[in-house]
Amino acid sequence: MNRKTILITDDSTALRAMLVSIIESLGDFRIVEAANGFEALRLLPREHVDLIFTDINMPDINGLELLSYLRNNPNYEHIPVIIISTEGSQGDIEKGRLLGANEYVVKPLDCSDLKHIIVKYLG
Amino acid sequence: MADNNNPLISKAVRDFLAEAEEIVEHLGSELADLADVADNGDVDPDLLNAIFRGAHSLKGLAGMFGFADISELSHNMENLLDWLRLGKLKLDAGVIGVLLEAHDVLLSLVRSLPEGEGGGEPDGKISACTARINACLEEPNRDAAQASPLEALGLSEQVLKSLTEYEEHRLLENLSKGKNIYRVHASLELATFDQDLAAISDAIKTCGEIISTLPSMSSNMETNIDFDILAGSAHALEEFAPAVRHDSVTVALLNGDPEQPAAGAATAPPKNGNEEPANLPAPPDALPAPAPASPAAGTPPLSAKSISRTVRVDIGKLDELMNIVGELVLAHSSIAALAERLRNERFSRVAVELGKSAKVLERKLTDLQKGVMDIRMIPVGQLYEKMSRIVRTISREQGKKVELLFYGADTELDKLIVEDISDPMMHIIRNAIDHGIESPEKRLAAGKPEKGVIKISSFQKGNHVVIEVEDDGGGIDIDKVKDRALQKGFVQDLGAVSDKDALDFIFLPGFSTTDQVSEVSGRGVGMDVVRNNIAAISGMVDIETTKGRGTRFIITLPITLAIIKSLIISCAGRTYALPVTSVLESLLLTGGDIKTVERREVTQLRDTTLPLLRLEEFLCLNRRSDRPEEFYVVVVGVAEKRLGVVVDELLGQQDIVIKSLGDGFRRFPGIAGAADLGDQRTILVLDVGGMVNDTLRSGS
């Protein structure tokens, strides 16, 4: 198969379920989920990930720390990273940009925004 | 696509409701903890951050699902909490009161959701609460944030850029309180880093606060991953480093080393015999004493009714509960026997009443047993959402159009069986799309609708559940099946093979009618695996097919594996149980009906030769000297294999609860477990699969 793999990292089960539902309706993707930065770090060596959505505020390893690790690791530095955030976290969003995030999407998620991003990076 | 989206969307909404309620309940207990320590002014940053994160999650969730009231109120609450955790606002009784009020309104809003739109909280309460939150944010209780102290720590730009605003605040807070800032560097193996990191983090938390955890690439990047943990602690380096001692861990003090020598040189006072040296660190701050909990007089009592109707229960606990119920049944048998004995010795009112109580106990135990069994049941529909995804994926890949229909999604099965049936179901569905349903062009040419239909139905049938997977594709070409069977050597003479028997060939290992191996279902996994997996849970699978019109797979499953209907038999004076799902029929034979082929006893059963197994020999039982002229044979089957088990008597059917024999006895072939009969006898349950495999392989 030639399906692209998307990793969703967020500590909210329902938000991940919603994201999975939206992404599946957009096309044929393989989706893996992580409930926090720990799980994401554990999943990365096993899965060939093509795109990552991550929240910022998560327990233990936050989204910025995960992003910093990705951008400094030759195995993962090429993977596009999309930050999921709220409009109230502008400071953290800017830090995400500085650390190398490709895009950010704001909750509540907009299907057309998501579609545009997925087509841009996986189309 | 919209039809397929609906089940997922509704599931997401249910997830939201369960999670939202959980978040709000957590907020309640955490806010109560916060109120307890508010007077001290030294709030646990982890607690405050946890509350902030809860409000943050609730806001994002509610916004995604369109619940604007909840989203807006939790957004305002989040703003207030953000100011608190960043130190922009001081926590006092007034702020606590506003937070508690906001929580109460949120709770009402979340709990009114299942009742529909009309049951919402009056807007007045929401706006009043919002106004109070905004009033707090306008007060001038702000401390000027300092930026310069971060530079003195000598942190790398990478670390600084990875700190969230909150973490920056915590770092500054620790500095302003005179805490020591440590960097704990750990190089951990990829395979076990999560446990190791958790252990190190726990050790740090016992003597300080973790500010951030930054993963980085290890110099040995193929096997290791590095972490830099920033921590604030009141302890000196000599106390902090030993507490977090661990393999591959180094500890560095960031804000103490450069300052101490200079401070010592510049500010050394004249020596006095009673004074301590000046460069010793200041004594750690005293831990704040917990304030007594103040009851919230104005808070209405929370409803015990839970919005989410589901409770996760470990299946092992249910098994233990079932065991206890079984023991109670035995205890009841003893009581009933005592009552009977008392009544027989002499008439007595006590004996009569004891008998009545035993009857009542029996009925209650039956209800309890049924209740425990029901807890294990889940609707088959839980499988269907996963199937929808599979069908969309495979049909898109195959270039076919498929509609998936579900019926009977609420039929219930034992959870373990639902899990075990998942893979066989997926395989059958894959085959239906890959081999059954034609391409849109072929379908149109055949006068069929362009879109194919796969219908999955489930219904209860006695003690079993039947799941049917039916497609309207091209059906199975039985002539092709027969040719393939002849080719493979499964059969010598096609004339003797009926269409029904020919379909069974599909389940033989190595059989496949597909000349072209496709990526989806040509991985070498044949239908034999499907049937074996179904047989492993005491199920059976049959096929009905009409060429040009479609194929139907009929899977018959026991409702649960914990209680099964069994045939009770006796052999050499002992009693055994055979699961009825494996019993096909029973025969009465005489010595003349038995032949010996290659030193194996067989009998002719209609068109086939049935191998026989003398149970007494298989179990090494002692036979009395005389051998009866007539004897019973129970015909049992597993997948396509058949075996006749020779027994002495058939004692009837009975529901039994199977119990494991324990690890020490697990290895015995032919024994599946033990069961208690109502009259205090314990018998062995025969493992048909083990008996069949052992017999047909060894040729005993």
Side-chain angles (χ1 to χ4, degrees), chain B residues 380-525:
Chain B
V380 168
Q382 291 195 14
L383 281 173
Y384 292 171
E385 285 147 8
K386 179 178 175 183
M387 293 173 194
S388 295
R389 293 192 198 178
I390 297 286
V391 168
R392 276 203 301 272
T393 301
I394 301 176
S395 53
R396 189 182 298 118
E397 179 181 294
Q398 298 282 324
K400 297 175 179 176
K401 299 188 178 182
V402 180
E403 181 180 15
L404 189 55
L405 302 177
F406 297 110
Y407 298 97
D410 55 350
T411 307
E412 290 195 330
L413 264 177
D414 190 293
K415 178 178 170 59
L416 294 180
I417 294 183
V418 171
E419 289 177 359
D420 284 342
I421 199 64
S422 176
D423 282 346
M425 291 285 294
M426 294 307 161
H427 197 80
I428 290 173
I429 291 175
R430 285 173 188 272
N431 274 353
I433 301 173
D434 198 20
H435 306 306
I437 292 184
E438 313 93 327
S439 64
E441 301 79 36
K442 283 187 179 178
R443 292 182 61 89
L444 291 175
K448 287 180 171 178
E450 183 183 38
K451 176 180 284 189
V453 174
I454 295 181
K455 182 175 15 168
I456 301 181
S457 315
S458 50
F459 52 92
Q460 186 168 335
K461 189 177 179 183
N463 272 5
H464 290 77
V465 161
V466 178
I467 301 180
E468 297 182 353
V469 183
E470 184 174 4
D471 70 67
D472 69 343
I476 297 176
D477 189 335
I478 298 188
D479 291 332
K480 195 186 285 188
V481 170
K482 291 181 177 179
D483 289 341
R484 178 58 60 102
L486 195 63
Q487 220 176 94
K488 295 270 183 175
F490 294 147
V491 66
Q492 306 303 321
D493 177 16
L494 282 180
V497 178
S498 68
D499 286 358
K500 182 64 177 175
D501 290 338
L503 286 177
D504 281 345
F505 291 138
I506 291 179
F507 295 105
L508 294 180
F511 187 96
S512 174
T513 57
T514 302
D515 297 318
Q516 172 192 357
V517 174
S518 75
E519 190 172 352
V520 170
S521 58
R523 303 193 189 101
V525 176

Side-chain angles (χ1 to χ4, degrees), chain B residues 331-386:
Chain B
H332 160 264
S333 297
S334 298
I335 295 174
L338 285 176
E340 185 69 15
R341 185 141 56 92
L342 276 179
R343 200 184 343 245
N344 289 338
E345 286 181 354
R346 79 166 189 270
F347 179 82
S348 135
R349 185 181 309 278
V350 171
V352 172
E353 295 195 1
L354 183 59
K356 289 182 181 177
S357 295
K359 284 282 189 246
V360 172
L361 180 59
E362 180 177 4
R363 283 199 299 273
K364 294 303 179 184
L365 280 176
T366 301
D367 291 345
L368 179 58
Q369 192 174 59
K370 184 179 186 309
V372 174
M373 296 313 306
D374 283 348
I375 296 176
R376 298 170 62 106
M377 301 300 172
I378 62 174
V380 168
Q382 291 195 14
L383 281 173
Y384 292 171
E385 285 147 8
K386 179 178 175 183

